[in-house]
Amino acid sequence: MAESFDLVVIGAGPGGYVAAIRAAQLGLKVASVELEPQLGGTCLRIGCIPSKALLESSEHYEHARTSLRGHGVVTGEVGLDLAAMMKRKETIVATLTKGIEGLFKKNKIQRFTGRGRLLGRGRVQVTTPAGTTDLEARSVLLATGSRPMPLPGVEWHTDRIATSTEGLSYPSVPAHLVVIGAGYIGLELGSVWRRLGSKVTVIESLDRILPGMDLEIATEAKKLFEKQGLHFVLKSRVHAARVVEDRCVVRLDDETLIDADRVLVAVGRRPNVEDLGLEAVGIRLDDRGRIPVDHRFEAAPGVYAIGDVIPGPMLAHKAEEEGVAVAEILATGHGHVNYAVIPGVAYTHPEIATVGKSEEELKAAGVAYRKGVFPFMANGRARALGSTEGRVKVLADTQTDRVLGVHIIGPRAGDLIAEAVAAMAFGASSEDIARCCHAHPTLSEALKEAALAVDGRALHA
Ligand code: NAI
């Protein structure tokens, strides 16, 4: 007889594993079905975590080569041990995935390694090379994530013309790396390989980088990345890319040919919705191949979906929030995600972080706003760090002073944005932020000063 659960979660990425833990905390009997032997999904295995490990390591390498001397630190010749750098990254991933295994055990979540598929309402089949196991579930949660989008005309060639997955593990530093797409992945991995010595060309179809991000901040980012040595080709579509006699040849829409050692395609991701048995429960995808859900994340009676397979930004922390919300809806009847305050962060140097509305969005919506800007140049801690590029921008409603958006480019922007998220979640005004005591000397003072600047009274600029 099939074993029965309150909740079967298909997919153990940040959305699925967090949902499983929260549901178990609330007393539900939970099963997790995951295809891969390692828990954690794309984010942990081949995304957020390994890329951050490489960003950190490559930044150390660059500092050692270029800026340590300015601190009075004299080293011998600086060398690169790429294999050791990769091993460190893999150890971090292995430790964290083991950590989730531990959390699953602690929360008595039953794990099934195999492909999960809906057979009908409340019925999930797990397929492994050894055979199939049927599970019964009061509720099923689909959290199967996404995978890189292919590009027509671009011929995959094992690792020579490939995705971010391969871009996290090149065995040597490519002399010339072409990145297609100036979004989060293109800029983060482009930065890693540039720091390690590659010439990096980023090709982007739009006339700007980081689409959707506040334009002033994205424009400043582009200038800084160019100063670091990234080369951008904007307003260009890749028409074709293939391997010819051991070289990669990239053809742009204006027939320009670019020769490269490797090509990394990062033009977005698409939801993993195939072979899930969606038709067995009557789920029909939307026009972008995503699973439509209602305000309770229900896609069909008793079947829920979260994360990259449903509409919204494809971000690990968005999926986590949704996972918690579904678990709480199932166990208590109530759960909620505040989509207005989901931060976005590019972990480049400097980091770029954003929450709420951009200036372009406010203008398009006809909302009157005031703007306060503070440069890191005028922040004492940024000076001590030797990282003075960038600024904080606070946008507040002209009438009410309520904070509508905060955009930061600068050191540790990804950590600084948390204060803005908390403030906005509580409906803070720019004056609320400005009147909070911020420790001195910290980078967080730049946010306070930008909030003061909304009213034209920044103290240090
Ligand atoms: P993206 O959507 O961030 O950027 C893709 C870029 O490719 C866009 O700028 C787009 O205009 C461009 N593009 C599309 N077709 C093109 C073509 N034919 N030729 C040239 N350029 C083209 O997607 P990306 O970077 O692949 O990331 C995928 C997802 O993963 C995103 O949703 C992102 O939010 C998420 N992610 C988030 C990270 C973070 O939060 N730090 C890090 C990595 C990924």
Side-chain angles (χ1 to χ4, degrees):
M1 212 179 77
E3 193 171 353
S4 128
F5 295 89
D6 294 318
L7 174 65
V8 172
V9 184
I10 304 182
Y17 88 71
V18 166
I21 292 173
R22 184 69 188 123
Q25 281 178 345
L26 290 166
L28 302 190
K29 184 182 175 196
V30 183
S32 159
V33 182
E34 166 60 54
L35 191 59
E36 299 287 337
Q38 277 184 318
L39 299 172
T42 298
C43 170
L44 230 151
R45 293 183 304 109
I46 47 171
C48 328
I49 297 300
S51 63
K52 261 78 273 174
L54 290 184
L55 278 157
E56 209 60 46
S57 297
S58 61
E59 205 172 327
H60 281 305
Y61 176 63
E62 183 158 77
H63 278 319
R65 281 194 309 123
T66 61
S67 60
L68 279 188
R69 217 160 238 285
H71 287 265
V73 180
V74 182
T75 59
E77 198 186 330
V78 176
L80 174 65
D81 182 345
L82 186 60
M85 201 178 273
M86 293 295 172
K87 193 155 182 286
R88 174 183 181 273
K89 173 201 74 175
E90 279 144 29
T91 306
I92 292 168
V93 170
T95 309
L96 288 173
T97 54
K98 284 271 171 233
I100 303 175
E101 274 178 36
L103 291 171
F104 269 24
K105 281 202 188 100
K106 186 182 145 205
N107 287 286
K108 301 189 173 49
I109 295 163
Q110 207 165 318
R111 209 180 138 187
F112 294 87
T113 303
R115 178 175 284 280
R117 191 169 200 285
L118 286 159
L119 294 179
R121 182 172 182 178
R123 290 169 58 220
V124 173
Q125 186 166 70
V126 184
T127 307
T128 64
T132 61
T133 309
D134 288 356
L135 309 176
E136 270 176 17
R138 200 152 54 85
S139 306
V140 177
L141 176 60
L142 306 173
T144 47
S146 61
R147 63 184 185 282
M149 192 126 65
L151 198 55
V154 173
E155 294 173 17
W156 297 120
H157 189 278
T158 54
D159 62 343
R160 299 296 298 273
I161 300 181
T163 68
S164 52
T165 306
E166 293 76 14
L168 288 166
S169 298
Y170 295 150
S172 60
V173 178
H176 184 199
L177 171 67
V178 163
V179 175
I180 309 178
Y184 286 84
I185 295 180
L187 294 174
E188 290 183 4
L189 285 181
S191 294
V192 165
W193 292 105
R194 181 203 58 73
R195 291 171 193 163
L196 298 181
S198 297
K199 173 187 168 191
V200 176
T201 305
V202 183
I203 302 169
E204 166 61 51
S205 55
L206 302 176
D207 60 356
R208 56 165 295 176
I209 67 169
L210 292 167
M213 179 139 337
D214 186 273
L215 185 58
E216 186 184 4
I217 297 291
T219 306
E220 177 158 1
K222 178 170 171 279
K223 270 193 211 135
L224 294 176
F225 296 150
E226 277 171 335
K227 215 167 91 186
Q228 293 167 3
L230 281 185
H231 177 58
F232 289 99
V233 183
L234 299 186
K235 290 191 274 183
S236 281
R237 277 192 169 275
V238 170
H239 189 66
R242 61 197 179 102
V243 175
V244 182
E245 288 170 6
D246 208 35
R247 302 288 303 160
C248 304
V249 180
V250 180
R251 184 191 294 272
L252 304 186
D253 45 9
D254 64 359
E255 297 300 313
T256 306
L257 292 179
I258 302 177
D259 171 274
D261 299 271
R262 287 181 190 276
V263 176
L264 194 163
V265 183
V267 294
R269 302 178 61 87
R270 69 176 182 200
N272 290 328
V273 288
E274 295 79 8
D275 204 19
L276 273 177
L278 299 182
E279 56 297 332
V281 292
I283 294 175
R284 292 163 80 126
L285 302 176
D286 71 9
D287 57 351
R288 292 174 62 185
R290 303 170 300 193
I291 299 175
V293 290
D294 66 12
H295 68 287
R296 300 173 75 244
F297 303 96
E298 202 164 11
V303 182
Y304 299 78
I306 56 166
D308 288 5
V309 291
I310 70 168
M314 289 180 159
L315 296 170
H317 44 277
K318 175 253 193 193
E320 286 186 39
E321 292 302 312
E322 291 173 341
V324 168
V326 168
E328 293 181 351
I329 286 168
L330 292 176
T332 70
H334 308 283
H336 172 69
V337 177
N338 184 352
Y339 287 100
V341 290
I342 292 182
V345 181
Y347 298 86
T348 47
H349 185 82
E351 290 184 350
I352 309 165
T354 171
V355 61
K357 302 287 185 203
S358 65
E359 282 200 63
E360 293 71 44
E361 286 171 326
L362 292 176
K363 281 180 191 147
V367 177
Y369 64 91
R370 293 197 298 168
K371 164 174 165 179
V373 176
F374 190 80
F376 281 101
M377 190 80 84
N379 174 273
R381 188 63 187 278
R383 287 247 167 222
L385 275 174
S387 188
T388 53
E389 288 165 326
R391 67 182 84 180
V392 179
K393 173 157 100 174
V394 173
L395 306 173
D397 189 288
T398 304
Q399 291 294 319
T400 64
D401 192 35
R402 186 178 176 139
V403 178
L404 303 173
V406 176
H407 308 281
I408 308 175
I409 176 167
R412 299 288 169 200
D415 294 311
L416 295 177
I417 203 72
E419 182 188 351
V421 172
M424 287 176 67
F426 284 89
S429 63
S430 76
E431 184 167 3
D432 288 329
I433 297 178
R435 289 203 181 272
C436 286
C437 180
H438 288 66
H440 177 75
T442 61
L443 297 168
S444 72
E445 288 171 290
L447 178 56
K448 176 194 169 106
E449 291 270 11
L452 280 167
V454 169
D455 198 34
R457 54 195 177 100
L459 295 163
H460 293 88

